[in-house]
């Protein structure tokens, strides 16, 4: 019995230590991501710091995962994606290390029914939940934004999905319910749709979620078009 208790104690300590490692790594990534957005770090230095952090995260992350994707907006499906057949996506000229300064749109804008721009669904009169498309770990987010800010993503979330070794990005949120280091499950509510962000805040912009997906090339984030995955995603 004593041996079983000792083994259980060792396992608990190991799990707690791993969770703390994940949290520390994600907080470091979050700090670096903020510096990249602010332009307060040189691209070469940012790359040199980003790569080992990602390698550390890959080593400690749980790679078990659910299959497929859940559509990132509760109560909506792929016909809410802007453009025609996903043609709103354009990653030409995008580089993650450029931070807040780029002209590309490596994303799909997913629009909600919100004619009066109060961030509530016109049918339900409730906020629209933003859902994690798959199991993952929150590596960066910002839950504060002011209209005077030029930050394009507003209140955003980055999630790493270890099983697929990809990242997803959710921007313009009204409120965020996660923090760096949190593990999230497929379909879990992580935010509510909003109008935060330099352009999204303006009246000319319909209320939407800005959704992107990235894979790793030489341990740096490179966007890819997730349109087909969104089309096949199950809805909630």
């Amino acid at each position: 019995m004593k041996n079983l208790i000792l083994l259980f104690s060792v396992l608990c300590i190991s799990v707690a230590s791993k969770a703390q490692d994940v949290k520390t790594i994600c907080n470091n990534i979050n700090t670096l991501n903020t510096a990249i957005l602010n332009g307060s770090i040189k691209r070469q230095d940012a790359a040199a710091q980003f790569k080992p952090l990602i390698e550390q995260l890959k080593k400690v992350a749980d790679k078990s995962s659910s299959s497929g994707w859940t559509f990132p907006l509760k109560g909506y499906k792929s016909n809410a994606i802007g453009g025609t057949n996903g043609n709103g996506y354009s990653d030409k000229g995008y580089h993650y290390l450029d931070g807040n300064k780029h002209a590309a749109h490596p994303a799909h804008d997913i629009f909600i029914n919100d004619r009066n721009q109060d961030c509530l669904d016109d049918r339900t009169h409730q906020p629209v939940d933003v859902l994690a498309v798959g199991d993952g770990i929150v590596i960066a987010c910002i839950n504060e934004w002011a209209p005077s800010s030029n930050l394009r993503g507003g209140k955003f979330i980055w999630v790493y999905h270890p099983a697929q070794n990809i990242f997803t990005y959710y921007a313009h949120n009204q409120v965020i319910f996660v923090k760096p280091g949190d593990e999230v499950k497929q379909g879990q509510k992580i935010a509510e749709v909003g109008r935060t962000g330099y352009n999204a805040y303006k009246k000319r912009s319909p209320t939407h979620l800005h959704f992107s997906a990235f894979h790793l090339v030489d341990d740096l984030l490179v966007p890819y078009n997730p349109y087909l995955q969104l089309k096949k995603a199950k809805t909630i």
Side-chain angles (χ1 to χ4, degrees):
M1 178 62 72
K2 289 183 178 179
N3 289 338
L4 287 175
I5 293 174
L6 178 61
L7 178 60
F8 180 74
S9 298
V10 170
L11 288 173
C12 288
I13 292 171
S14 177
V15 170
S17 177
K18 181 179 177 180
Q20 184 58 45
D21 288 344
V22 169
K23 184 176 180 180
T24 298
I25 294 167
C26 291
N27 280 327
N28 289 336
I29 294 174
N30 187 50
T31 299
L32 177 58
N33 183 67
T34 299
I36 292 171
L37 285 174
N38 293 340
S40 59
I41 186 172
K42 294 180 179 178
R43 286 177 53 132
Q44 184 176 355
D45 294 337
Q49 292 183 37
F50 190 81
K51 292 181 180 183
L53 286 172
I54 292 300
E55 285 300 318
Q56 292 170 31
L57 184 60
K58 287 194 287 186
K59 288 179 181 178
V60 299
D62 182 4
K63 293 180 175 57
S64 61
S65 177
S66 52
S67 59
W69 272 11
T70 292
F71 197 74
L73 290 188
K74 185 176 181 180
Y76 286 80
K77 52 187 178 181
S78 60
N79 62 0
I81 298 173
T84 302
N85 297 323
N87 65 357
Y89 179 93
S90 176
D91 58 19
K92 185 177 181 180
Y94 177 89
H95 297 284
Y96 169 69
L97 297 178
D98 287 341
N100 199 46
K101 297 180 179 179
H102 65 83
H105 188 258
H108 290 289
D109 291 337
I110 308 175
F111 296 92
I112 70 168
N113 299 310
D114 179 24
R115 291 185 178 181
N116 63 355
Q117 299 187 347
D118 63 354
C119 299
L120 301 179
D121 185 281
D122 291 339
R123 299 166 298 182
T124 66
H125 307 293
Q126 297 294 322
V128 177
D129 294 347
V130 177
L131 311 176
V133 297
D135 296 350
I137 303 167
V138 178
I139 62 166
C141 63
I142 285 182
N143 200 18
E144 294 182 1
W145 184 84
S148 59
S149 171
N150 67 353
L151 186 64
R152 298 172 65 173
K155 298 180 181 181
F156 64 79
I157 304 170
W158 282 93
V159 176
Y160 173 52
H161 305 276
Q164 296 82 32
N165 199 29
I166 64 169
F167 299 75
T168 51
Y169 174 75
Y170 313 73
H172 306 324
N173 303 288
Q174 179 71 12
V175 61
I176 289 173
F177 299 101
V178 292
K179 59 186 182 301
D182 284 355
E183 292 188 9
V184 296
K185 294 298 183 181
Q186 182 178 12
Q188 178 180 330
K189 178 179 179 177
I190 58 176
E192 291 175 357
V193 175
R195 300 182 55 80
T196 62
Y198 181 72
N199 288 314
Y201 179 75
K202 298 174 181 177
K203 287 290 184 181
R204 61 179 171 79
S205 176
T207 308
H208 65 279
L209 172 72
H210 174 104
F211 178 84
S212 299
F214 298 77
H215 53 202
L216 289 170
V217 177
D218 295 329
D219 280 337
L220 286 176
L221 295 169
V222 175
Y224 75 88
N225 191 341
Y227 183 68
L228 293 180
Q229 286 174 282
L230 290 172
K231 288 276 289 184
K232 296 177 182 178
K234 63 182 180 182
T235 57
I236 295 180

